[in-house]
């Protein structure tokens, strides 16, 4: 990406301090419309969620490669057509109060976010071997369900090939590189993929690496943080945005002098 386009995309992208993880996963079943509504009710301005393809290529909100943990179904997502996934209960495993909650399509989730006026970190989470087709389908759905000039949307992925394909098919959608333990090359990797942000696991981030990411000009996002003391430390290190399962725990526990932890509004990214 040309440096000027990268700078302009980065400038327009303003992430809030807190982003709800999989909607707001501590309070509602992850990756459902109920979890997005819960995040909005908590005052969150953005949510992160996982997008992958059903067996027949429909982009859905789902984390695991199999249906077993978060639905009353079983078997690989990649071998199950959307019509069958849609009959499953994705809420009862979490609590009886959410029984009957379906697996949403990405299109439904984006429509809801627009209606609620909330931003989205869409994590492309391909089933094995489906990286490029997942990226392509996710970008196509964003293209038809997210108003073009709205902003407030960031794609991310652990998958380099998914990010590469997203760049090919939707150059103007900002991208973030997700890393777990490959922190040694993350800045070079993000640069090679023209990303605007780097998303680190708090377990593998050090103060020195956080400084290096910020000095290199990237938005620094850290996941998944549910401890107020950890959140405060990360912000002292220069972390811009924290992805959390439970905004209430972080917000309620933040003392006055670190009130920025509980900030749900948008903050300058750099
Ligand atoms: O996007 C941050 C985080 O969601 C990445 O890990 O496994 O929770 O999708 P995971
Ligand atoms: Mg995720």
């Amino acid at each position: 990406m040309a440096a000027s386009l990268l700078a302009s995309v980065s400038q327009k992208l303003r992430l809030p301090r807190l982003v709800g993880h999989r909607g707001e996963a501590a309070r509602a079943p992850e990756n459902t419309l109920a979890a997005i509504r819960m995040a909005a009710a908590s005052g969150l301005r953005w949510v992160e969620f996982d997008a992958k393809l059903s067996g027949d290529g429909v982009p859905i909100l789902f984390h695991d490669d199999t249906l077993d943990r978060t639905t009353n179904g079983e078997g690989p997502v990649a071998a199950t057509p959307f019509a069958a996934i849609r009959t499953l209960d994705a809420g009862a495993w979490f609590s009886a109060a959410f029984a009957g909650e379906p697996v949403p399509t990405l299109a439904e989730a984006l429509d809801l976010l627009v209606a609620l006026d909330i931003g989205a970190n869409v994590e492309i989470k391909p089933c094995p071997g489906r990286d490029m087709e997942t990226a392509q389908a996710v970008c196509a759905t964003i293209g038809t369900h997210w108003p073009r000039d709205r902003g407030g949307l960031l794609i991310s992925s652990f998958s380099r090939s998914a990010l590469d394909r997203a760049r090919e098919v939707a150059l103007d959608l900002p991208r973030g590189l997700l890393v777990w333990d490959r922190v040694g090359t993350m800045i070079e990797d993000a640069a090679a993929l023209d990303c605007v942000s780097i998303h680190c696991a708090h377990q593998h981030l050090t103060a020195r690496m956080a400084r290096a990411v910020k000095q290199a000009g990237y938005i620094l996002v850290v996941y998944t943080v549910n401890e107020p003391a950890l959140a405060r430390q990360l912000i002292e290190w220069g972390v811009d945005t924290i992805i959390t399962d439970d905004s209430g725990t972080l917000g309620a526990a933040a003392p006055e002098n670190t009130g920025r932890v509980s900030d749900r509004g948008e903050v300058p990214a750099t």
Side-chain angles (χ1 to χ4, degrees):
M1 187 190 292
S4 57
L5 178 55
L6 184 60
S8 119
V9 166
S10 183
Q11 261 170 19
K12 273 194 266 175
L13 184 69
R14 293 171 78 85
L15 289 160
R17 179 70 73 204
L18 289 182
V19 170
H21 185 229
R22 308 181 192 173
E24 193 175 12
R27 298 179 169 209
E30 64 181 59
N31 289 320
T32 63
L33 298 186
I36 292 173
R37 289 194 192 96
M38 184 65 74
S42 300
L44 287 163
R45 303 296 305 142
W46 273 57
V47 290
E48 182 266 6
F49 51 76
D50 308 295
K52 64 169 70 250
L53 300 182
S54 65
D56 50 349
V58 177
I60 56 173
L61 268 54
F62 213 85
H63 181 275
D64 297 359
D65 290 336
T66 62
L67 296 161
D68 304 46
R69 181 178 63 87
T70 58
T71 74
N72 59 346
E74 57 184 20
V77 175
T80 312
F82 176 68
I85 292 175
R86 189 59 151 190
T87 65
L88 301 176
D89 186 325
W93 70 273
F94 183 86
S95 135
F98 294 98
E101 190 68 28
V103 173
T105 64
L106 174 61
E108 289 168 337
L110 295 176
D111 289 348
L112 176 61
L113 291 170
V114 170
L116 293 170
D117 194 22
I118 288 184
N121 173 194
V122 182
E123 182 189 340
I124 302 172
K125 182 79 98 184
C127 289
R130 305 188 82 183
D131 301 59
M132 289 190 282
E133 62 178 307
T134 305
Q136 187 145 341
V138 165
C139 290
T141 302
I142 291 169
T144 51
H145 287 267
W146 199 259
R148 192 169 171 73
D149 297 324
R150 185 174 187 274
L153 190 143
L154 171 67
I155 293 171
S156 62
S157 192
F158 289 103
S159 164
R160 272 66 170 169
S161 49
L163 289 171
D164 202 29
R165 177 55 63 93
R167 173 172 54 182
E168 279 173 26
V169 299
L171 182 64
D172 57 342
L173 285 181
R175 291 173 302 284
L177 176 66
L178 264 162
V179 290
W180 173 244
D181 56 0
R182 288 170 65 178
V183 290
T185 59
M186 64 186 171
I187 294 174
E188 292 76 8
D189 293 348
L193 290 159
D194 293 322
C195 289
V196 300
S197 57
I198 298 178
H199 302 219
C200 294
H202 68 82
Q203 294 91 335
H204 294 286
L205 184 70
T206 64
R208 191 176 61 81
M209 289 310 302
R211 220 169 21 250
V213 169
K214 291 310 301 171
Q215 280 170 359
Y218 291 94
I219 299 168
L220 177 54
V221 180
V222 176
Y223 65 92
T224 301
V225 179
N226 297 319
E227 294 294 325
L230 176 59
R232 288 194 289 273
Q233 179 194 62
L234 291 168
I235 288 170
E236 279 169 24
W237 288 359
V239 168
D240 297 299
T241 290
I242 288 170
I243 297 180
T244 182
D245 292 316
D246 187 355
S247 67
T249 300
L250 289 197
E256 278 174 27
N257 66 349
T258 54
R260 293 164 73 213
V261 174
S262 63
D263 190 351
R264 278 124 165 101
E266 293 185 344
V267 295
T270 53

